[in-house]
mmCIF file with all atom_site columns, all heavy atoms in Angstrom:
data_model
loop_
_atom_site.group_PDB
_atom_site.id
_atom_site.type_symbol
_atom_site.label_atom_id
_atom_site.label_alt_id
_atom_site.label_comp_id
_atom_site.label_asym_id
_atom_site.label_entity_id
_atom_site.label_seq_id
_atom_site.pdbx_PDB_ins_code
_atom_site.Cartn_x
_atom_site.Cartn_y
_atom_site.Cartn_z
_atom_site.occupancy
_atom_site.B_iso_or_equiv
_atom_site.pdbx_formal_charge
_atom_site.auth_seq_id
_atom_site.auth_comp_id
_atom_site.auth_asym_id
_atom_site.auth_atom_id
_atom_site.pdbx_PDB_model_num
ATOM 1   N N   . LEU A 1 1  ? -1.597  -1.198 8.193   1.00 0.00 ? 1  LEU A N   1
ATOM 2   C CA  . LEU A 1 1  ? -1.635  -1.526 6.779   1.00 0.00 ? 1  LEU A CA  1
ATOM 3   C C   . LEU A 1 1  ? -0.218  -1.657 6.232   1.00 0.00 ? 1  LEU A C   1
ATOM 4   O O   . LEU A 1 1  ? 0.723   -1.059 6.769   1.00 0.00 ? 1  LEU A O   1
ATOM 5   C CB  . LEU A 1 1  ? -2.380  -0.439 6.007   1.00 0.00 ? 1  LEU A CB  1
ATOM 6   C CG  . LEU A 1 1  ? -3.821  -0.144 6.442   1.00 0.00 ? 1  LEU A CG  1
ATOM 7   C CD1 . LEU A 1 1  ? -4.402  1.000  5.625   1.00 0.00 ? 1  LEU A CD1 1
ATOM 8   C CD2 . LEU A 1 1  ? -4.698  -1.378 6.304   1.00 0.00 ? 1  LEU A CD2 1
ATOM 9   N N   . PRO A 1 2  ? -0.036  -2.431 5.178   1.00 0.00 ? 2  PRO A N   1
ATOM 10  C CA  . PRO A 1 2  ? 1.280   -2.450 4.502   1.00 0.00 ? 2  PRO A CA  1
ATOM 11  C C   . PRO A 1 2  ? 1.675   -1.050 4.088   1.00 0.00 ? 2  PRO A C   1
ATOM 12  O O   . PRO A 1 2  ? 0.832   -0.228 3.719   1.00 0.00 ? 2  PRO A O   1
ATOM 13  C CB  . PRO A 1 2  ? 1.029   -3.364 3.288   1.00 0.00 ? 2  PRO A CB  1
ATOM 14  C CG  . PRO A 1 2  ? -0.124  -4.208 3.696   1.00 0.00 ? 2  PRO A CG  1
ATOM 15  C CD  . PRO A 1 2  ? -0.989  -3.359 4.559   1.00 0.00 ? 2  PRO A CD  1
ATOM 16  N N   . TRP A 1 3  ? 2.998   -0.773 4.166   1.00 0.00 ? 3  TRP A N   1
ATOM 17  C CA  . TRP A 1 3  ? 3.430   0.623  3.973   1.00 0.00 ? 3  TRP A CA  1
ATOM 18  C C   . TRP A 1 3  ? 3.102   1.146  2.587   1.00 0.00 ? 3  TRP A C   1
ATOM 19  O O   . TRP A 1 3  ? 2.791   2.335  2.425   1.00 0.00 ? 3  TRP A O   1
ATOM 20  C CB  . TRP A 1 3  ? 4.910   0.765  4.268   1.00 0.00 ? 3  TRP A CB  1
ATOM 21  C CG  . TRP A 1 3  ? 5.815   0.119  3.254   1.00 0.00 ? 3  TRP A CG  1
ATOM 22  C CD1 . TRP A 1 3  ? 6.254   -1.153 3.229   1.00 0.00 ? 3  TRP A CD1 1
ATOM 23  C CD2 . TRP A 1 3  ? 6.351   0.760  2.085   1.00 0.00 ? 3  TRP A CD2 1
ATOM 24  N NE1 . TRP A 1 3  ? 7.047   -1.370 2.139   1.00 0.00 ? 3  TRP A NE1 1
ATOM 25  C CE2 . TRP A 1 3  ? 7.141   -0.213 1.401   1.00 0.00 ? 3  TRP A CE2 1
ATOM 26  C CE3 . TRP A 1 3  ? 6.293   2.038  1.552   1.00 0.00 ? 3  TRP A CE3 1
ATOM 27  C CZ2 . TRP A 1 3  ? 7.817   0.055  0.240   1.00 0.00 ? 3  TRP A CZ2 1
ATOM 28  C CZ3 . TRP A 1 3  ? 6.976   2.330  0.390   1.00 0.00 ? 3  TRP A CZ3 1
ATOM 29  C CH2 . TRP A 1 3  ? 7.720   1.354  -0.262  1.00 0.00 ? 3  TRP A CH2 1
ATOM 30  N N   . MET A 1 4  ? 3.121   0.294  1.551   1.00 0.00 ? 4  MET A N   1
ATOM 31  C CA  . MET A 1 4  ? 2.761   0.769  0.210   1.00 0.00 ? 4  MET A CA  1
ATOM 32  C C   . MET A 1 4  ? 1.279   1.080  0.127   1.00 0.00 ? 4  MET A C   1
ATOM 33  O O   . MET A 1 4  ? 0.869   2.059  -0.488  1.00 0.00 ? 4  MET A O   1
ATOM 34  C CB  . MET A 1 4  ? 3.163   -0.274 -0.837  1.00 0.00 ? 4  MET A CB  1
ATOM 35  C CG  . MET A 1 4  ? 4.662   -0.453 -0.984  1.00 0.00 ? 4  MET A CG  1
ATOM 36  S SD  . MET A 1 4  ? 5.143   -1.536 -2.359  1.00 0.00 ? 4  MET A SD  1
ATOM 37  C CE  . MET A 1 4  ? 4.596   -0.541 -3.760  1.00 0.00 ? 4  MET A CE  1
ATOM 38  N N   . SER A 1 5  ? 0.449   0.251  0.741   1.00 0.00 ? 5  SER A N   1
ATOM 39  C CA  . SER A 1 5  ? -0.982  0.543  0.801   1.00 0.00 ? 5  SER A CA  1
ATOM 40  C C   . SER A 1 5  ? -1.246  1.806  1.569   1.00 0.00 ? 5  SER A C   1
ATOM 41  O O   . SER A 1 5  ? -2.093  2.629  1.196   1.00 0.00 ? 5  SER A O   1
ATOM 42  C CB  . SER A 1 5  ? -1.740  -0.629 1.392   1.00 0.00 ? 5  SER A CB  1
ATOM 43  O OG  . SER A 1 5  ? -1.591  -1.810 0.630   1.00 0.00 ? 5  SER A OG  1
ATOM 44  N N   . GLN A 1 6  ? -0.505  1.992  2.707   1.00 0.00 ? 6  GLN A N   1
ATOM 45  C CA  . GLN A 1 6  ? -0.674  3.174  3.481   1.00 0.00 ? 6  GLN A CA  1
ATOM 46  C C   . GLN A 1 6  ? -0.286  4.435  2.708   1.00 0.00 ? 6  GLN A C   1
ATOM 47  O O   . GLN A 1 6  ? -0.952  5.471  2.783   1.00 0.00 ? 6  GLN A O   1
ATOM 48  C CB  . GLN A 1 6  ? 0.190   3.080  4.760   1.00 0.00 ? 6  GLN A CB  1
ATOM 49  C CG  . GLN A 1 6  ? -0.010  4.256  5.722   1.00 0.00 ? 6  GLN A CG  1
ATOM 50  C CD  . GLN A 1 6  ? -1.430  4.392  6.208   1.00 0.00 ? 6  GLN A CD  1
ATOM 51  O OE1 . GLN A 1 6  ? -2.013  3.407  6.700   1.00 0.00 ? 6  GLN A OE1 1
ATOM 52  N NE2 . GLN A 1 6  ? -2.020  5.564  6.080   1.00 0.00 ? 6  GLN A NE2 1
ATOM 53  N N   . LEU A 1 7  ? 0.784   4.319  1.924   1.00 0.00 ? 7  LEU A N   1
ATOM 54  C CA  . LEU A 1 7  ? 1.223   5.437  1.097   1.00 0.00 ? 7  LEU A CA  1
ATOM 55  C C   . LEU A 1 7  ? 0.140   5.776  0.050   1.00 0.00 ? 7  LEU A C   1
ATOM 56  O O   . LEU A 1 7  ? -0.194  6.968  -0.152  1.00 0.00 ? 7  LEU A O   1
ATOM 57  C CB  . LEU A 1 7  ? 2.536   5.093  0.394   1.00 0.00 ? 7  LEU A CB  1
ATOM 58  C CG  . LEU A 1 7  ? 3.156   6.175  -0.484  1.00 0.00 ? 7  LEU A CG  1
ATOM 59  C CD1 . LEU A 1 7  ? 3.539   7.401  0.358   1.00 0.00 ? 7  LEU A CD1 1
ATOM 60  C CD2 . LEU A 1 7  ? 4.383   5.635  -1.215  1.00 0.00 ? 7  LEU A CD2 1
ATOM 61  N N   . LEU A 1 8  ? -0.413  4.778  -0.579  1.00 0.00 ? 8  LEU A N   1
ATOM 62  C CA  . LEU A 1 8  ? -1.447  5.001  -1.573  1.00 0.00 ? 8  LEU A CA  1
ATOM 63  C C   . LEU A 1 8  ? -2.695  5.596  -0.958  1.00 0.00 ? 8  LEU A C   1
ATOM 64  O O   . LEU A 1 8  ? -3.322  6.523  -1.503  1.00 0.00 ? 8  LEU A O   1
ATOM 65  C CB  . LEU A 1 8  ? -1.768  3.695  -2.289  1.00 0.00 ? 8  LEU A CB  1
ATOM 66  C CG  . LEU A 1 8  ? -2.781  3.752  -3.452  1.00 0.00 ? 8  LEU A CG  1
ATOM 67  C CD1 . LEU A 1 8  ? -2.234  4.618  -4.589  1.00 0.00 ? 8  LEU A CD1 1
ATOM 68  C CD2 . LEU A 1 8  ? -3.111  2.357  -3.974  1.00 0.00 ? 8  LEU A CD2 1
ATOM 69  N N   . LEU A 1 9  ? -3.092  5.092  0.195   1.00 0.00 ? 9  LEU A N   1
ATOM 70  C CA  . LEU A 1 9  ? -4.303  5.584  0.865   1.00 0.00 ? 9  LEU A CA  1
ATOM 71  C C   . LEU A 1 9  ? -4.088  7.002  1.412   1.00 0.00 ? 9  LEU A C   1
ATOM 72  O O   . LEU A 1 9  ? -5.035  7.792  1.469   1.00 0.00 ? 9  LEU A O   1
ATOM 73  C CB  . LEU A 1 9  ? -4.708  4.639  1.987   1.00 0.00 ? 9  LEU A CB  1
ATOM 74  C CG  . LEU A 1 9  ? -5.162  3.253  1.504   1.00 0.00 ? 9  LEU A CG  1
ATOM 75  C CD1 . LEU A 1 9  ? -5.437  2.333  2.699   1.00 0.00 ? 9  LEU A CD1 1
ATOM 76  C CD2 . LEU A 1 9  ? -6.385  3.351  0.615   1.00 0.00 ? 9  LEU A CD2 1
ATOM 77  N N   . SER A 1 10 ? -2.859  7.312  1.806   1.00 0.00 ? 10 SER A N   1
ATOM 78  C CA  . SER A 1 10 ? -2.575  8.692  2.244   1.00 0.00 ? 10 SER A CA  1
ATOM 79  C C   . SER A 1 10 ? -2.782  9.661  1.095   1.00 0.00 ? 10 SER A C   1
ATOM 80  O O   . SER A 1 10 ? -3.317  10.760 1.256   1.00 0.00 ? 10 SER A O   1
ATOM 81  C CB  . SER A 1 10 ? -1.137  8.796  2.789   1.00 0.00 ? 10 SER A CB  1
ATOM 82  O OG  . SER A 1 10 ? -0.963  7.976  3.898   1.00 0.00 ? 10 SER A OG  1
ATOM 83  N N   . TRP A 1 11 ? -2.324  9.231  -0.078  1.00 0.00 ? 11 TRP A N   1
ATOM 84  C CA  . TRP A 1 11 ? -2.584  10.051 -1.259  1.00 0.00 ? 11 TRP A CA  1
ATOM 85  C C   . TRP A 1 11 ? -4.089  10.168 -1.509  1.00 0.00 ? 11 TRP A C   1
ATOM 86  O O   . TRP A 1 11 ? -4.593  11.249 -1.867  1.00 0.00 ? 11 TRP A O   1
ATOM 87  C CB  . TRP A 1 11 ? -1.917  9.468  -2.483  1.00 0.00 ? 11 TRP A CB  1
ATOM 88  C CG  . TRP A 1 11 ? -2.535  9.949  -3.776  1.00 0.00 ? 11 TRP A CG  1
ATOM 89  C CD1 . TRP A 1 11 ? -3.362  9.229  -4.598  1.00 0.00 ? 11 TRP A CD1 1
ATOM 90  C CD2 . TRP A 1 11 ? -2.479  11.241 -4.323  1.00 0.00 ? 11 TRP A CD2 1
ATOM 91  N NE1 . TRP A 1 11 ? -3.778  9.999  -5.648  1.00 0.00 ? 11 TRP A NE1 1
ATOM 92  C CE2 . TRP A 1 11 ? -3.247  11.244 -5.530  1.00 0.00 ? 11 TRP A CE2 1
ATOM 93  C CE3 . TRP A 1 11 ? -1.810  12.419 -3.972  1.00 0.00 ? 11 TRP A CE3 1
ATOM 94  C CZ2 . TRP A 1 11 ? -3.400  12.365 -6.309  1.00 0.00 ? 11 TRP A CZ2 1
ATOM 95  C CZ3 . TRP A 1 11 ? -1.946  13.536 -4.762  1.00 0.00 ? 11 TRP A CZ3 1
ATOM 96  C CH2 . TRP A 1 11 ? -2.726  13.501 -5.933  1.00 0.00 ? 11 TRP A CH2 1
ATOM 97  N N   . GLY A 1 12 ? -4.843  9.062  -1.303  1.00 0.00 ? 12 GLY A N   1
ATOM 98  C CA  . GLY A 1 12 ? -6.274  9.094  -1.487  1.00 0.00 ? 12 GLY A CA  1
ATOM 99  C C   . GLY A 1 12 ? -6.966  10.053 -0.547  1.00 0.00 ? 12 GLY A C   1
ATOM 100 O O   . GLY A 1 12 ? -7.867  10.793 -0.921  1.00 0.00 ? 12 GLY A O   1
ATOM 101 N N   . GLU A 1 13 ? -6.506  10.107 0.699   1.00 0.00 ? 13 GLU A N   1
ATOM 102 C CA  . GLU A 1 13 ? -7.074  11.050 1.651   1.00 0.00 ? 13 GLU A CA  1
ATOM 103 C C   . GLU A 1 13 ? -6.788  12.492 1.236   1.00 0.00 ? 13 GLU A C   1
ATOM 104 O O   . GLU A 1 13 ? -7.642  13.371 1.326   1.00 0.00 ? 13 GLU A O   1
ATOM 105 C CB  . GLU A 1 13 ? -6.508  10.776 3.038   1.00 0.00 ? 13 GLU A CB  1
ATOM 106 C CG  . GLU A 1 13 ? -6.945  9.432  3.636   1.00 0.00 ? 13 GLU A CG  1
ATOM 107 C CD  . GLU A 1 13 ? -6.267  9.160  4.962   1.00 0.00 ? 13 GLU A CD  1
ATOM 108 O OE1 . GLU A 1 13 ? -5.472  10.034 5.398   1.00 0.00 ? 13 GLU A OE1 1
ATOM 109 O OE2 . GLU A 1 13 ? -6.528  8.106  5.550   1.00 0.00 ? 13 GLU A OE2 1
ATOM 110 N N   . PHE A 1 14 ? -5.545  12.710 0.778   1.00 0.00 ? 14 PHE A N   1
ATOM 111 C CA  . PHE A 1 14 ? -5.174  14.069 0.336   1.00 0.00 ? 14 PHE A CA  1
ATOM 112 C C   . PHE A 1 14 ? -6.016  14.466 -0.894  1.00 0.00 ? 14 PHE A C   1
ATOM 113 O O   . PHE A 1 14 ? -6.501  15.602 -0.974  1.00 0.00 ? 14 PHE A O   1
ATOM 114 C CB  . PHE A 1 14 ? -3.701  14.103 0.001   1.00 0.00 ? 14 PHE A CB  1
ATOM 115 C CG  . PHE A 1 14 ? -3.215  15.410 -0.568  1.00 0.00 ? 14 PHE A CG  1
ATOM 116 C CD1 . PHE A 1 14 ? -2.968  16.495 0.266   1.00 0.00 ? 14 PHE A CD1 1
ATOM 117 C CD2 . PHE A 1 14 ? -3.051  15.586 -1.945  1.00 0.00 ? 14 PHE A CD2 1
ATOM 118 C CE1 . PHE A 1 14 ? -2.525  17.706 -0.244  1.00 0.00 ? 14 PHE A CE1 1
ATOM 119 C CE2 . PHE A 1 14 ? -2.636  16.789 -2.449  1.00 0.00 ? 14 PHE A CE2 1
ATOM 120 C CZ  . PHE A 1 14 ? -2.370  17.862 -1.607  1.00 0.00 ? 14 PHE A CZ  1
ATOM 121 N N   . ALA A 1 15 ? -6.179  13.534 -1.863  1.00 0.00 ? 15 ALA A N   1
ATOM 122 C CA  . ALA A 1 15 ? -6.953  13.840 -3.051  1.00 0.00 ? 15 ALA A CA  1
ATOM 123 C C   . ALA A 1 15 ? -8.412  14.086 -2.730  1.00 0.00 ? 15 ALA A C   1
ATOM 124 O O   . ALA A 1 15 ? -9.058  14.983 -3.311  1.00 0.00 ? 15 ALA A O   1
ATOM 125 C CB  . ALA A 1 15 ? -6.821  12.700 -4.059  1.00 0.00 ? 15 ALA A CB  1
ATOM 126 N N   . GLY A 1 16 ? -8.958  13.336 -1.773  1.00 0.00 ? 16 GLY A N   1
ATOM 127 C CA  . GLY A 1 16 ? -10.361 13.551 -1.416  1.00 0.00 ? 16 GLY A CA  1
ATOM 128 C C   . GLY A 1 16 ? -10.571 14.889 -0.727  1.00 0.00 ? 16 GLY A C   1
ATOM 129 O O   . GLY A 1 16 ? -11.632 15.509 -0.884  1.00 0.00 ? 16 GLY A O   1
ATOM 130 N N   . ALA A 1 17 ? -9.561  15.379 0.020   1.00 0.00 ? 17 ALA A N   1
ATOM 131 C CA  . ALA A 1 17 ? -9.707  16.644 0.736   1.00 0.00 ? 17 ALA A CA  1
ATOM 132 C C   . ALA A 1 17 ? -9.413  17.861 -0.129  1.00 0.00 ? 17 ALA A C   1
ATOM 133 O O   . ALA A 1 17 ? -9.825  18.972 0.189   1.00 0.00 ? 17 ALA A O   1
ATOM 134 C CB  . ALA A 1 17 ? -8.794  16.650 1.977   1.00 0.00 ? 17 ALA A CB  1
ATOM 135 N N   . HIS A 1 18 ? -8.673  17.673 -1.219  1.00 0.00 ? 18 HIS A N   1
ATOM 136 C CA  . HIS A 1 18 ? -8.275  18.793 -2.084  1.00 0.00 ? 18 HIS A CA  1
ATOM 137 C C   . HIS A 1 18 ? -8.623  18.534 -3.540  1.00 0.00 ? 18 HIS A C   1
ATOM 138 O O   . HIS A 1 18 ? -7.843  18.804 -4.441  1.00 0.00 ? 18 HIS A O   1
ATOM 139 C CB  . HIS A 1 18 ? -6.775  19.060 -1.964  1.00 0.00 ? 18 HIS A CB  1
ATOM 140 C CG  . HIS A 1 18 ? -6.320  19.341 -0.572  1.00 0.00 ? 18 HIS A CG  1
ATOM 141 N ND1 . HIS A 1 18 ? -5.987  18.320 0.321   1.00 0.00 ? 18 HIS A ND1 1
ATOM 142 C CD2 . HIS A 1 18 ? -6.147  20.519 0.126   1.00 0.00 ? 18 HIS A CD2 1
ATOM 143 C CE1 . HIS A 1 18 ? -5.625  18.858 1.468   1.00 0.00 ? 18 HIS A CE1 1
ATOM 144 N NE2 . HIS A 1 18 ? -5.708  20.185 1.389   1.00 0.00 ? 18 HIS A NE2 1
ATOM 145 N N   . THR A 1 19 ? -9.796  17.988 -3.793  1.00 0.00 ? 19 THR A N   1
ATOM 146 C CA  . THR A 1 19 ? -10.201 17.627 -5.156  1.00 0.00 ? 19 THR A CA  1
ATOM 147 C C   . THR A 1 19 ? -10.208 18.837 -6.082  1.00 0.00 ? 19 THR A C   1
ATOM 148 O O   . THR A 1 19 ? -9.666  18.794 -7.204  1.00 0.00 ? 19 THR A O   1
ATOM 149 C CB  . THR A 1 19 ? -11.580 16.952 -5.146  1.00 0.00 ? 19 THR A CB  1
ATOM 150 O OG1 . THR A 1 19 ? -11.539 15.828 -4.265  1.00 0.00 ? 19 THR A OG1 1
ATOM 151 C CG2 . THR A 1 19 ? -11.968 16.498 -6.550  1.00 0.00 ? 19 THR A CG2 1
ATOM 152 N N   . SER A 1 20 ? -10.812 19.937 -5.639  1.00 0.00 ? 20 SER A N   1
ATOM 153 C CA  . SER A 1 20 ? -10.921 21.131 -6.505  1.00 0.00 ? 20 SER A CA  1
ATOM 154 C C   . SER A 1 20 ? -9.547  21.687 -6.848  1.00 0.00 ? 20 SER A C   1
ATOM 155 O O   . SER A 1 20 ? -9.275  22.030 -8.007  1.00 0.00 ? 20 SER A O   1
ATOM 156 C CB  . SER A 1 20 ? -11.778 22.194 -5.808  1.00 0.00 ? 20 SER A CB  1
ATOM 157 O OG  . SER A 1 20 ? -13.070 21.720 -5.536  1.00 0.00 ? 20 SER A OG  1
ATOM 158 N N   . ASP A 1 21 ? -8.693  21.772 -5.829  1.00 0.00 ? 21 ASP A N   1
ATOM 159 C CA  . ASP A 1 21 ? -7.349  22.303 -6.086  1.00 0.00 ? 21 ASP A CA  1
ATOM 160 C C   . ASP A 1 21 ? -6.574  21.405 -7.069  1.00 0.00 ? 21 ASP A C   1
ATOM 161 O O   . ASP A 1 21 ? -5.841  21.906 -7.931  1.00 0.00 ? 21 ASP A O   1
ATOM 162 C CB  . ASP A 1 21 ? -6.574  22.413 -4.775  1.00 0.00 ? 21 ASP A CB  1
ATOM 163 C CG  . ASP A 1 21 ? -7.212  23.408 -3.824  1.00 0.00 ? 21 ASP A CG  1
ATOM 164 O OD1 . ASP A 1 21 ? -7.916  24.331 -4.305  1.00 0.00 ? 21 ASP A OD1 1
ATOM 165 O OD2 . ASP A 1 21 ? -7.017  23.273 -2.607  1.00 0.00 ? 21 ASP A OD2 1
ATOM 166 N N   . LEU A 1 22 ? -6.724  20.091 -6.912  1.00 0.00 ? 22 LEU A N   1
ATOM 167 C CA  . LEU A 1 22 ? -6.010  19.182 -7.813  1.00 0.00 ? 22 LEU A CA  1
ATOM 168 C C   . LEU A 1 22 ? -6.525  19.296 -9.247  1.00 0.00 ? 22 LEU A C   1
ATOM 169 O O   . LEU A 1 22 ? -5.735  19.248 -10.195 1.00 0.00 ? 22 LEU A O   1
ATOM 170 C CB  . LEU A 1 22 ? -6.168  17.744 -7.308  1.00 0.00 ? 22 LEU A CB  1
ATOM 171 C CG  . LEU A 1 22 ? -5.390  17.416 -6.034  1.00 0.00 ? 22 LEU A CG  1
ATOM 172 C CD1 . LEU A 1 22 ? -5.715  15.990 -5.567  1.00 0.00 ? 22 LEU A CD1 1
ATOM 173 C CD2 . LEU A 1 22 ? -3.878  17.544 -6.250  1.00 0.00 ? 22 LEU A CD2 1
ATOM 174 N N   . LEU A 1 23 ? -7.840  19.454 -9.405  1.00 0.00 ? 23 LEU A N   1
ATOM 175 C CA  . LEU A 1 23 ? -8.412  19.611 -10.753 1.00 0.00 ? 23 LEU A CA  1
ATOM 176 C C   . LEU A 1 23 ? -7.914  20.892 -11.396 1.00 0.00 ? 23 LEU A C   1
ATOM 177 O O   . LEU A 1 23 ? -7.583  20.922 -12.595 1.00 0.00 ? 23 LEU A O   1
ATOM 178 C CB  . LEU A 1 23 ? -9.925  19.589 -10.690 1.00 0.00 ? 23 LEU A CB  1
ATOM 179 C CG  . LEU A 1 23 ? -10.566 18.225 -10.367 1.00 0.00 ? 23 LEU A CG  1
ATOM 180 C CD1 . LEU A 1 23 ? -12.093 18.363 -10.234 1.00 0.00 ? 23 LEU A CD1 1
ATOM 181 C CD2 . LEU A 1 23 ? -10.238 17.195 -11.429 1.00 0.00 ? 23 LEU A CD2 1
ATOM 182 N N   . ILE A 1 24 ? -7.872  21.992 -10.631 1.00 0.00 ? 24 ILE A N   1
ATOM 183 C CA  . ILE A 1 24 ? -7.358  23.255 -11.165 1.00 0.00 ? 24 ILE A CA  1
ATOM 184 C C   . ILE A 1 24 ? -5.902  23.126 -11.553 1.00 0.00 ? 24 ILE A C   1
ATOM 185 O O   . ILE A 1 24 ? -5.455  23.573 -12.627 1.00 0.00 ? 24 ILE A O   1
ATOM 186 C CB  . ILE A 1 24 ? -7.555  24.376 -10.157 1.00 0.00 ? 24 ILE A CB  1
ATOM 187 C CG1 . ILE A 1 24 ? -9.063  24.645 -9.938  1.00 0.00 ? 24 ILE A CG1 1
ATOM 188 C CG2 . ILE A 1 24 ? -6.859  25.651 -10.620 1.00 0.00 ? 24 ILE A CG2 1
ATOM 189 C CD1 . ILE A 1 24 ? -9.348  25.642 -8.832  1.00 0.00 ? 24 ILE A CD1 1
ATOM 190 N N   . GLY A 1 25 ? -5.110  22.474 -10.678 1.00 0.00 ? 25 GLY A N   1
ATOM 191 C CA  . GLY A 1 25 ? -3.691  22.268 -10.977 1.00 0.00 ? 25 GLY A CA  1
ATOM 192 C C   . GLY A 1 25 ? -3.499  21.390 -12.203 1.00 0.00 ? 25 GLY A C   1
ATOM 193 O O   . GLY A 1 25 ? -2.622  21.651 -13.011 1.00 0.00 ? 25 GLY A O   1
ATOM 194 N N   . LEU A 1 26 ? -4.344  20.348 -12.333 1.00 0.00 ? 26 LEU A N   1
ATOM 195 C CA  . LEU A 1 26 ? -4.238  19.462 -13.491 1.00 0.00 ? 26 LEU A CA  1
ATOM 196 C C   . LEU A 1 26 ? -4.555  20.221 -14.768 1.00 0.00 ? 26 LEU A C   1
ATOM 197 O O   . LEU A 1 26 ? -3.855  20.089 -15.797 1.00 0.00 ? 26 LEU A O   1
ATOM 198 C CB  . LEU A 1 26 ? -5.186  18.285 -13.324 1.00 0.00 ? 26 LEU A CB  1
ATOM 199 C CG  . LEU A 1 26 ? -5.212  17.264 -14.485 1.00 0.00 ? 26 LEU A CG  1
ATOM 200 C CD1 . LEU A 1 26 ? -3.845  16.624 -14.662 1.00 0.00 ? 26 LEU A CD1 1
ATOM 201 C CD2 . LEU A 1 26 ? -6.269  16.212 -14.242 1.00 0.00 ? 26 LEU A CD2 1
ATOM 202 N N   . GLY A 1 27 ? -5.614  21.068 -14.721 1.00 0.00 ? 27 GLY A N   1
ATOM 203 C CA  . GLY A 1 27 ? -5.985  21.845 -15.910 1.00 0.00 ? 27 GLY A CA  1
ATOM 204 C C   . GLY A 1 27 ? -4.875  22.823 -16.290 1.00 0.00 ? 27 GLY A C   1
ATOM 205 O O   . GLY A 1 27 ? -4.547  22.977 -17.469 1.00 0.00 ? 27 GLY A O   1
ATOM 206 N N   . ALA A 1 28 ? -4.285  23.481 -15.273 1.00 0.00 ? 28 ALA A N   1
ATOM 207 C CA  . ALA A 1 28 ? -3.180  24.416 -15.565 1.00 0.00 ? 28 ALA A CA  1
ATOM 208 C C   . ALA A 1 28 ? -1.966  23.684 -16.131 1.00 0.00 ? 28 ALA A C   1
ATOM 209 O O   . ALA A 1 28 ? -1.312  24.174 -17.056 1.00 0.00 ? 28 ALA A O   1
ATOM 210 C CB  . ALA A 1 28 ? -2.810  25.171 -14.304 1.00 0.00 ? 28 ALA A CB  1
ATOM 211 N N   . THR A 1 29 ? -1.685  22.511 -15.609 1.00 0.00 ? 29 THR A N   1
ATOM 212 C CA  . THR A 1 29 ? -0.558  21.723 -16.095 1.00 0.00 ? 29 THR A CA  1
ATOM 213 C C   . THR A 1 29 ? -0.750  21.293 -17.539 1.00 0.00 ? 29 THR A C   1
ATOM 214 O O   . THR A 1 29 ? 0.167   21.388 -18.377 1.00 0.00 ? 29 THR A O   1
ATOM 215 C CB  . THR A 1 29 ? -0.334  20.487 -15.220 1.00 0.00 ? 29 THR A CB  1
ATOM 216 O OG1 . THR A 1 29 ? -0.111  20.910 -13.851 1.00 0.00 ? 29 THR A OG1 1
ATOM 217 C CG2 . THR A 1 29 ? 0.877   19.692 -15.697 1.00 0.00 ? 29 THR A CG2 1
ATOM 218 N N   . VAL A 1 30 ? -1.966  20.813 -17.861 1.00 0.00 ? 30 VAL A N   1
ATOM 219 C CA  . VAL A 1 30 ? -2.269  20.375 -19.228 1.00 0.00 ? 30 VAL A CA  1
ATOM 220 C C   . VAL A 1 30 ? -2.153  21.566 -20.190 1.00 0.00 ? 30 VAL A C   1
ATOM 221 O O   . VAL A 1 30 ? -1.590  21.452 -21.280 1.00 0.00 ? 30 VAL A O   1
ATOM 222 C CB  . VAL A 1 30 ? -3.667  19.749 -19.295 1.00 0.00 ? 30 VAL A CB  1
ATOM 223 C CG1 . VAL A 1 30 ? -4.079  19.520 -20.741 1.00 0.00 ? 30 VAL A CG1 1
ATOM 224 C CG2 . VAL A 1 30 ? -3.685  18.449 -18.523 1.00 0.00 ? 30 VAL A CG2 1
ATOM 225 N N   . THR A 1 31 ? -2.680  22.736 -19.760 1.00 0.00 ? 31 THR A N   1
ATOM 226 C CA  . THR A 1 31 ? -2.592  23.943 -20.616 1.00 0.00 ? 31 THR A CA  1
ATOM 227 C C   . THR A 1 31 ? -1.132  24.339 -20.851 1.00 0.00 ? 31 THR A C   1
ATOM 228 O O   . THR A 1 31 ? -0.725  24.669 -21.975 1.00 0.00 ? 31 THR A O   1
ATOM 229 C CB  . THR A 1 31 ? -3.359  25.084 -19.980 1.00 0.00 ? 31 THR A CB  1
ATOM 230 O OG1 . THR A 1 31 ? -4.721  24.695 -19.758 1.00 0.00 ? 31 THR A OG1 1
ATOM 231 C CG2 . THR A 1 31 ? -3.331  26.314 -20.882 1.00 0.00 ? 31 THR A CG2 1
ATOM 232 N N   . LEU A 1 32 ? -0.341  24.298 -19.783 1.00 0.00 ? 32 LEU A N   1
ATOM 233 C CA  . LEU A 1 32 ? 1.076   24.672 -19.903 1.00 0.00 ? 32 LEU A CA  1
ATOM 234 C C   . LEU A 1 32 ? 1.801   23.692 -20.807 1.00 0.00 ? 32 LEU A C   1
ATOM 235 O O   . LEU A 1 32 ? 2.629   24.086 -21.654 1.00 0.00 ? 32 LEU A O   1
ATOM 236 C CB  . LEU A 1 32 ? 1.715   24.699 -18.515 1.00 0.00 ? 32 LEU A CB  1
ATOM 237 C CG  . LEU A 1 32 ? 3.209   25.038 -18.463 1.00 0.00 ? 32 LEU A CG  1
ATOM 238 C CD1 . LEU A 1 32 ? 3.442   26.441 -19.003 1.00 0.00 ? 32 LEU A CD1 1
ATOM 239 C CD2 . LEU A 1 32 ? 3.731   24.915 -17.033 1.00 0.00 ? 32 LEU A CD2 1
#
């Protein structure tokens, strides 16, 4: 894949595997 697409999809894989952690982090960031 093109390297920019690969970078975006790597983030997608990470987000799919750590959805709960990202949501908790997002909520804590918004509160802060």
Side-chain angles (χ1 to χ4, degrees):
L1 303 177
W3 71 271
M4 292 188 66
S5 297
Q6 184 61 51
L7 182 64
L8 184 64
L9 294 176
S10 298
W11 159 255
E13 293 176 0
F14 176 80
H18 303 86
T19 304
S20 300
D21 296 335
L22 289 175
L23 289 176
I24 294 173
L26 179 62
T29 302
V30 170
T31 303
L32 179 62

